[in-house]
Amino acid sequence: MDRFEISILRDFYGSLLTEKQNEILKMRYDEDLSFGEIADICGVSRQAVLDSINKGEKHLAEYELNLGYADKQRRILAVLDSVEDHFDSLNKAEIKAKLGEIRKILED
């Protein structure tokens, strides 16, 4: 996973992580701190930071696999972008169909 994906998943599922895992992931991916800097701030070893990051990333991936909220958001935004890009040329039936797509994504 890239840092952008981790930040998105942390927005959705960060509260499900331990406070320490969430904070370490925030420092690493949102604040772009090094392992050494994080270790100094948290008073732990660099290895402990790496372990926490690996466990946190693993949990985020598992939550997304099981819940899929980030994927649903991406799919809904893609439909909305499509409507926005073609709004002037869409008729009422096409708009209703796009709204149906969004409803289906939310119900899945």
Side-chain angles (χ1 to χ4, degrees), residues 72-90:
K72 282 184 181 188
Q73 181 189 48
R74 275 191 286 272
R75 291 169 39 210
I76 289 169
L77 290 173
V79 173
L80 291 173
D81 285 344
S82 172
V83 169
E84 215 170 49
D85 292 345
H86 303 98
F87 189 77
D88 291 333
S89 64
L90 293 175

Side-chain angles (χ1 to χ4, degrees), residues 56-74:
E57 288 178 4
K58 179 182 172 223
H59 290 306
L60 291 175
E62 289 171 353
Y63 296 141
E64 178 59 15
L65 180 66
N66 291 313
L67 300 171
Y69 293 134
D71 181 58
K72 282 184 181 188
Q73 181 189 48
R74 275 191 286 272

Side-chain angles (χ1 to χ4, degrees), residues 10-28:
R10 203 179 59 72
D11 286 344
F12 279 99
Y13 309 116
S15 63
L16 300 175
L17 299 172
T18 67
E19 188 175 326
K20 191 169 197 168
Q21 284 173 341
N22 193 28
E23 187 61 29
I24 287 174
L25 287 172
K26 178 183 174 194
M27 285 188 273
R28 179 68 181 151

